[in-house]
Amino acid sequence: MFTGIVTAIGTVVEAEAKGPSLKRLAIASPYDAAGIEIGASIACAGVCLTVTGLRPRSDGEPGCIFQVEAAAETLSKTLVGDWAPGTRINLERSLKVGDELGGHLVTGHVDGVATILKIDPIEANPDEQWGATARFHIRAPQGLAPFIATKGSICLDGTSLTVNSVEDDVFTVLLIPHSFSVTTWGQRKAGDPIHLEVDLMARYAARLAEARPQG
């Protein structure tokens, strides 16, 4: 379980297909290897992946390189199959008992791939690359729009965000300069695909509504 509060940016250093339904990745991160166990879960751009190996970094930077593997279901629902050396991704370690829940409950089970339609800078500030904030207009994947509500929570590329508006299958979110500086959002542009996970409570509420007896 995660919160959608990104704690680091990682870089893919190795990407190897192990057949049509398995991909092995090595990701350089600032995390201390001493605090990571084999089998631990790390959210990589919002995708919960299991650590299968650890080794020191060879670039002189602090941290470690952790290895993960993505199987058929993950490859079919996410962008992990497209990741190559040099791809930068948002990272978050899994929650521990007693940790502060700063975002919202995130499972790391991506529901689909959304598309950034437009980015509107707001309150331009010459000292900031993106100004005070920027509004992102995003199209939800087919079938997921009913789970997205104004003022509700959503996880995009591993980042917990608040939905500002919804119209049909297009919704908007606002990001502040701090978010751009500690995540990969500063690299995003119109047309980019992003991972989307709907709010856990919205998913269960919809399922309960479906199961309610009619008549």
Side-chain angles (χ1 to χ4, degrees):
M1 193 67 71
F2 307 92
T3 68
I5 302 300
V6 173
T7 55
I9 296 176
T11 303
V12 175
V13 293
E14 296 173 11
E16 180 184 8
K18 309 294 287 186
S21 59
L22 185 68
K23 185 169 186 176
R24 180 172 296 158
L25 299 152
I27 300 170
S29 78
Y31 295 143
D32 184 355
I36 302 175
E37 296 185 3
I38 301 299
S41 295
I42 297 179
C44 301
V47 184
C48 179
L49 297 174
T50 301
V51 175
T52 59
L54 289 163
R55 67 176 190 262
R57 295 181 65 147
S58 58
D59 57 5
E61 294 294 325
C64 71
I65 293 174
F66 64 89
Q67 180 178 292
V68 293
E69 294 178 345
E73 177 70 7
T74 299
L75 296 175
S76 68
K77 292 287 182 67
T78 72
L79 301 165
V80 175
D82 297 330
W83 291 355
T87 300
R88 300 176 77 237
I89 53 177
N90 296 325
L91 300 177
E92 182 189 355
R93 301 283 308 279
S94 59
L95 273 172
K96 297 182 178 65
V97 175
D99 282 353
E100 179 180 349
L101 185 60
H104 71 283
L105 288 176
V106 173
T107 64
H109 303 156
V110 169
D111 291 296
V113 176
T115 303
I116 298 173
L117 299 179
K118 184 172 64 169
I119 305 172
D120 293 330
I122 301 173
E123 298 178 21
N125 182 335
D127 296 327
E128 299 284 358
Q129 179 183 359
W130 286 88
T133 57
R135 178 180 288 110
F136 284 69
H137 300 252
I138 299 169
R139 172 163 285 130
Q142 185 175 6
L144 294 183
F147 298 95
I148 302 171
T150 301
K151 303 305 179 186
S153 295
I154 197 162
C155 185
L156 301 173
D157 266 3
T159 311
S160 174
L161 295 168
T162 300
V163 177
N164 294 123
S165 66
V166 182
E167 186 173 349
D168 297 325
D169 63 347
V170 176
F171 64 95
T172 63
V173 294
L174 290 174
L175 283 99
I176 60 175
H178 174 75
S179 298
F180 295 125
S181 68
V182 298
T183 72
T184 61
W185 280 93
Q187 303 172 339
R188 294 289 172 258
K189 60 186 183 301
D192 280 354
I194 53 174
H195 292 145
L196 182 150
E197 180 185 333
V198 300
D199 182 58
L200 190 62
M201 290 186 290
R203 183 184 290 118
Y204 281 112
R207 184 69 182 118
L208 286 170
E210 289 177 1
R212 184 178 301 160
Q214 302 296 315

